[in-house]
Amino acid sequence: MTDELVNVSDLNQYAYCPRRYWYLHFYDTQGRSYERVEGKTTHENQSSRGDWLNELYLESETHGLKGKIDVLDLEGARTVPVERKRAESGDYYKSDELQLAGYCMLLEEHIEEQVREGAIYLYETDQRMHVPITEDHREAVRETVEAIQSMSLDSVPPFTDNPTKCEACSVREYCMPAETAKLEPERVAGTGWEDEL
Amino acid sequence: MKASEGLFDDSVVYVTTQGTQVRTDQGRITVYDVDGDDGELASFPAEKLDTLNVFGGVNFSTPFVRRANEHGIVLNYFTERGQYRGSFVPEKNTIAAVRRAQYALTDEEELAIARAMIAAKIRNARTLLGRKGVTGTELLEDLRLRASEADSKDELRGAEGEAAERYFGLLDEALVDGWTFETRTKRPPEDHINSLLSLTYVMMKNEVLSALRQYNLDPFLGVLHADRHGRPSLALDLQEEFRPLFCDSFVTRLVNRGTITHDEFTQDNHLQDDSFQTYLSKFDEYMTEKLTHPYFEYEVTRRKAVRQQAILLRKAITGELDDYHALEVTH
């Protein structure tokens, strides 16, 4: 168990596939350290234009989280964090909601006001989708933070339950789910790769 | 110099043209002819490249080295003749956890990995001879079994040595008329075939070394070859399974197809400069040729197959897999 703050964007990575996150986190297998890029943005990068606030970096010991909100929409009575996404499918993923919930939790501690919704902006369709943040979202964030903090180098997470996620995954060449299924079938028992055998 | 296609194949680039400089230009890695007038000779996207092997009189610009560090590109230095001299390893490639696991291997674990490598080597030797129609290889099967059950490294080396002797004794029959293989000689190689074999082992060792570096394993700490100052023992270990399968079959192909003839050697059995260039481009072509993987059943280039073995080795070392699964081809 570590008390290191978890990057909000890592909630998303972890939700996509804990094993993929494990490789990126401990082995930097992808060859690029997205965390380093993420970490660069600090308070100094804040800029404000009209009713928009760009790139707000926040940390919370209470939630064990840190992260940078892309855009903060200050228009109207509510403050709405906006997360920009590239999604070729024209829709966002369930894991994007988790990330957004993380930002909402960070933000409400910062402004000492409840934040009940966030928004996801999709570049491809130029759409802004509002996402109500529920208690389920918050619980999922808390669980994921705990799961990430208790990860260790010695315990490799299992392969994903959903092998289609592997198709576009950048660490697949290293992770080798299908290859492992062939070489050591017992290693994929109970995962989505078992059915591929 | 040869740029190959595809993710893993573009990932290794050999720069052999003397008097060139490796630079960075708008996100691409370029090779520039500084001594001559040829200008830009080649260019590669930095994202795809993971290893750059340079031979002899080639230099780097400082911005290139910075970019190599950022992109995790490993630079290996070799003499013009391919002898390894050293590497530049990007800071993020130094993953302590992998090294720690490698250093913590017990004798038993090292032996288990080495057994798999040597058993595969002997199996592959038999497969190569079988493909060439050479008979009388049953003894190799016995030796393979002995290797796979060896209780000590010495016993394993013994089985390996006997198998090599038997195998090289039969290799002669795989060559076309006009080429003979008497006996394996190393320092110096006493004939043209031995010279080609030695050169090809060096080239393959470099491929393996690059693969190990890319996956953060320490190439100097072996599981079977004794550690000796300056000797990349782990690269030599991992190379074993590829020797008959990829190296010897490449050499037999070169001579059997007449790509390399006796006229192309110097007095001391080295390839002449032009022929050495031909050799290098043929070797790169060979490494990027595809084969159907014996276990995974999809098509891979030989280079990717080698890199996958480095990954499988790392997984065996870090405990992500129970055993090391050597590349063994049975027919």
Side-chain angles (χ1 to χ4, degrees):
Chain A
M1 190 80 186
T2 70
D3 41 15
E4 263 176 60
L5 299 180
V6 170
N7 263 312
V8 175
S9 56
D10 288 352
L11 298 174
N12 199 339
Q13 292 277 354
Y14 186 91
Y16 187 82
C17 174
R19 190 177 172 99
R20 173 186 152 84
Y21 175 75
W22 187 86
Y23 286 131
L24 294 172
H25 186 71
F26 290 110
Y27 285 114
D28 194 15
T29 302
Q30 199 177 27
R32 294 167 196 18
S33 179
Y34 63 94
E35 282 175 294
R36 239 171 280 163
V37 177
E38 183 77 20
K40 268 184 194 165
T41 315
T42 53
H43 296 80
E44 290 94 81
N45 287 15
Q46 272 187 41
S47 63
S48 178
R49 264 180 300 158
D51 293 335
W52 299 90
L53 187 65
N54 282 327
E55 302 196 331
L56 175 66
Y57 177 84
L58 296 169
E59 285 184 1
S60 162
E61 292 287 343
T62 319
H63 297 307
L65 281 171
K66 61 182 174 183
K68 183 195 75 183
I69 299 171
D70 278 347
V71 175
L72 209 53
D73 187 350
L74 308 171
E75 205 173 0
R78 286 177 180 165
T79 309
V80 180
V82 183
E83 172 65 13
R84 296 155 163 163
K85 287 285 166 198
R86 301 201 173 276
E88 276 162 29
S89 63
D91 203 356
Y92 59 86
Y93 297 98
K94 197 80 193 153
S95 56
D96 294 333
E97 284 189 19
L98 193 67
Q99 189 180 353
L100 195 60
Y103 290 130
C104 289
M105 288 162 75
L106 273 180
L107 185 63
E108 63 192 7
E109 191 180 273
H110 183 65
I111 61 174
E112 295 174 350
E113 244 175 65
Q114 283 214 313
V115 179
R116 290 197 180 86
E117 69 167 31
I120 292 173
Y121 172 80
L122 296 178
Y123 285 100
E124 277 75 8
T125 52
D126 189 27
Q127 251 182 319
R128 186 200 258 210
M129 295 147 110
H130 283 259
V131 183
I133 301 301
T134 65
E135 186 48 39
D136 284 353
H137 283 119
R138 291 163 196 271
E139 192 48 39
V141 169
R142 284 188 284 267
E143 281 170 14
T144 310
V145 168
E146 208 182 303
I148 288 177
Q149 285 179 334
S150 56
M151 273 185 126
S152 80
L153 181 65
D154 298 328
S155 54
V156 199
F159 293 108
T160 175
D161 276 339
N162 179 4
T164 53
K165 282 184 176 177
C166 302
E167 283 165 24
C169 176
S170 61
V171 307
R172 183 185 180 151
E173 298 261 15
Y174 181 78
C175 181
M176 295 184 132
E179 291 82 353
T180 303
K182 288 207 160 125
L183 295 172
E184 295 183 1
E186 68 280 10
R187 289 258 174 195
V188 303
T191 74
W193 282 95
E194 190 171 21
D195 308 328
E196 304 282 311
L197 279 170
Chain B
M1 183 175 359
K2 200 98 182 164
S4 321
E5 281 166 28
L7 183 71
F8 267 83
D9 309 320
D10 248 358
S11 60
V12 181
V13 166
Y14 286 84
V15 185
T16 56
T17 313
Q18 303 300 294
T20 53
Q21 187 185 44
V22 185
R23 301 176 174 177
T24 172
D25 183 17
Q26 295 177 348
R28 292 180 72 84
I29 308 297
T30 61
V31 181
Y32 202 84
D33 181 23
V34 275
D35 285 1
D37 307 319
D38 291 338
E40 187 182 303
L41 296 174
S43 141
F44 314 91
E47 297 75 37
K48 282 194 170 181
L49 202 62
D50 66 35
T51 304
L52 193 88
N53 293 328
V54 302
F55 291 73
V58 177
N59 67 59
F60 301 128
S61 72
T62 309
F64 165 72
V65 178
R66 188 165 63 234
R67 187 160 289 263
N69 190 42
E70 284 163 10
H71 284 268
I73 301 169
V74 176
L75 313 177
N76 296 316
Y77 301 80
F78 303 93
T79 65
E80 206 176 335
R81 282 278 165 193
Q83 287 302 322
Y84 179 66
R85 283 292 174 263
S87 297
F88 167 82
V89 181
E91 55 190 339
K92 70 179 162 196
N93 265 38
T94 50
I95 300 174
V98 176
R99 295 294 171 99
R100 197 167 285 147
Q102 189 184 349
Y103 299 153
L105 284 178
T106 63
D107 279 354
E108 258 319 294
E109 289 165 333
E110 288 185 352
L111 179 62
I113 293 170
R115 271 197 301 249
M117 289 169 169
I118 299 302
K121 177 191 184 176
I122 301 173
R123 175 68 250 195
N124 292 340
R126 195 173 176 217
T127 299
L128 175 68
L129 292 174
R131 282 178 181 171
K132 305 285 175 191
V134 180
T135 54
T137 61
E138 295 75 17
L139 181 68
L140 288 177
E141 181 55 17
D142 296 342
L143 289 163
R144 185 188 68 82
L145 276 171
R146 234 176 80 191
S148 64
E149 290 163 1
D151 287 328
S152 70
K153 288 186 186 177
D154 277 346
E155 202 181 323
L156 183 57
R157 287 190 196 102
E160 197 276 323
E162 265 188 63
E165 200 177 324
R166 177 77 184 172
Y167 163 70
F168 281 121
L170 291 167
L171 191 61
D172 198 35
E173 296 175 39
L175 303 177
V176 290
D177 286 351
W179 289 87
T180 51
F181 180 83
E182 295 294 335
T183 178
R184 175 86 187 113
T185 56
K186 294 168 192 168
R187 282 174 289 270
E190 282 171 11
D191 56 47
H192 297 167
I193 278 285
N194 271 297
S195 169
L196 285 175
L197 286 175
S198 290
L199 176 60
T200 306
Y201 295 153
V202 168
M203 292 302 291
M204 184 57 78
K205 183 182 74 187
N206 296 343
E207 289 280 338
V208 173
L209 191 91
S210 299
L212 293 174
R213 281 248 184 265
Q214 199 57 41
Y215 292 101
N216 324 113
L217 291 164
D218 183 343
F220 292 90
L221 192 77
V223 292
L224 182 64
H225 281 83
D227 302 329
R228 191 189 292 165
H229 190 67
R231 175 155 85 174
S233 301
L234 190 66
L236 294 170
D237 292 338
L238 181 54
Q239 185 191 9
E240 293 288 3
E241 61 202 76
F242 308 123
R243 280 179 195 258
L245 192 65
F246 293 160
C247 302
D248 302 348
S249 62
F250 174 63
V251 170
T252 48
R253 181 198 281 196
L254 280 182
V255 303
N256 286 355
R257 290 187 183 174
T259 312
I260 299 280
T261 64
H262 285 298
D263 304 340
E264 297 177 74
F265 290 85
T266 60
Q267 281 282 299
D268 60 352
N269 295 330
H270 278 123
L271 280 172
Q272 291 163 12
D273 285 350
D274 284 0
S275 304
F276 182 61
Q277 290 303 318
T278 308
Y279 172 92
L280 288 177
S281 88
K282 287 288 170 195
F283 182 80
D284 192 75
E285 226 172 74
Y286 185 74
M287 289 309 286
T288 55
E289 234 173 58
K290 286 186 174 170
L291 52 102
T292 303
H293 196 283
Y295 317 133
F296 307 148
E297 289 160 8
Y298 47 66
E299 292 219 307
V300 283
T301 65
R302 290 191 177 88
R303 179 165 290 147
K304 178 165 175 177
V306 169
R307 299 203 142 214
Q308 283 185 326
Q309 290 311 121
I311 295 177
L312 292 177
L313 178 59
R314 177 161 116 171
K315 282 175 180 283
I317 288 173
T318 56
E320 261 185 71
L321 287 173
D322 294 330
D323 299 307
Y324 173 62
H325 301 269
L327 186 67
E328 207 172 284
V329 177
T330 51
H331 56 268

